[in-house]
Amino acid sequence: MLELFGTILPRKKKADWASAVEAIRAGAAFLAQGSSYSYLRARTLLAGPRLFQDAGFGFALQICKWETFAVAAQDLILIIETEIRQLLPADPGSKARVLAGMYREVLESEQLPEHRADRGWADAIAEFDARLERFMREPPQTADAISEATASRLLQHAPIDDLVREADRTMVVNNVAFRTIDHLSTLRRKLDLPVIAAEIARRMEPAG
């Protein structure tokens, strides 16, 4: 009965910082795994069941999934920023600092994957810092344009031939864009974005 009422009655939107971090983590994992698995299942066709049971292919797939996750988390943060930009102070530097901290918390909420155990996420963090610096000073972008970064990272690490990789680029970009836009609707339902914007604005204030 509780599950039934949960589907009928509107659920209160989550508005605290921890909920936003968790929503981004879960969304990035959802996009990374769904996009990676669906693409490789479609690409491998009848050979798929055998390949997915192969240890080497499985490890390569895990690398692809985690590397895609790291960029999908970046994309979701940038997409949320675009949604609430008009509610935030016009201070690119402070805003980038707060969003960079959010990204670090998202990464820290997951156990380090095996292939990164010896180096952590330092390069992904530096990549996002540089990306934020550019993004904060540019006009807002659409979700599908932002999500191209996730698609590119998926293709970079997918265990496929390079010629196939390039031939499939448009298909993967479109698939990831569709999934990202659809997931944005989920984020709008789950999160109270104006309240989260207020929390970001509060964190942008100088410490004192």
Side-chain angles (χ1 to χ4, degrees):
M1 289 296 292
L2 289 174
E3 291 181 1
L4 175 62
F5 282 119
T7 61
I8 296 174
L9 299 175
R11 295 182 179 179
K12 184 177 180 181
K13 292 184 177 182
K14 297 180 179 179
D16 59 288
W17 182 263
S19 294
V21 169
E22 170 56 20
I24 293 165
R25 183 210 64 78
F30 173 78
L31 291 172
Q33 179 160 316
S35 299
S36 301
Y37 278 59
S38 66
Y39 168 57
L40 289 169
R41 284 195 180 100
R43 170 45 63 195
T44 56
L45 297 175
L46 295 177
R50 178 179 57 81
L51 280 173
F52 276 81
Q53 292 178 6
D54 178 79
F57 183 86
F59 185 66
L61 178 56
Q62 287 300 308
I63 292 175
C64 178
K65 184 190 76 172
W66 280 110
E67 295 301 316
T68 303
F69 163 82
V71 179
Q74 296 179 12
D75 286 354
L76 289 179
I77 291 173
L78 296 179
I79 288 168
I80 289 175
E81 189 278 336
T82 298
E83 289 278 301
I84 62 177
R85 180 172 290 194
Q86 296 303 318
L87 303 175
L88 296 174
D91 183 349
S94 295
K95 185 163 50 175
R97 172 180 54 78
V98 173
L99 296 180
M102 175 180 277
Y103 182 59
R104 285 164 171 78
E105 289 190 38
V106 171
L107 295 178
E108 290 167 1
S109 65
E110 288 279 7
Q111 184 175 351
L112 271 175
E114 181 181 350
H115 74 284
R116 280 189 171 269
D118 61 340
R119 56 193 173 107
W121 289 112
D123 57 329
I125 290 170
E127 175 187 56
F128 190 49
D129 287 346
R131 195 176 175 195
L132 276 168
E133 185 176 355
R134 298 190 306 271
F135 193 89
M136 294 300 102
R137 291 172 170 78
E138 294 174 350
Q141 298 180 29
T142 60
D144 58 327
I146 294 171
S147 72
E148 285 192 32
T150 293
S152 294
R153 191 57 52 87
L154 190 165
L155 280 167
Q156 178 184 343
H157 290 279
I160 54 174
D161 184 86
D162 286 342
L163 293 177
V164 173
R165 197 186 316 275
E166 192 54 40
D168 288 347
R169 176 167 293 277
T170 299
M171 176 183 69
V172 173
V173 166
N174 290 340
N175 179 264
V176 172
F178 175 82
R179 289 171 180 269
T180 302
I181 292 169
D182 183 64
H183 189 67
L184 176 57
S185 299
T186 300
L187 290 177
R188 288 169 177 156
R189 291 194 303 270
K190 285 185 174 181
L191 299 178
D192 191 331
L193 292 177
V195 177
I196 290 171
E199 175 60 17
I200 292 174
R202 185 188 71 78
R203 290 173 180 247
M204 289 172 61
E205 296 173 357

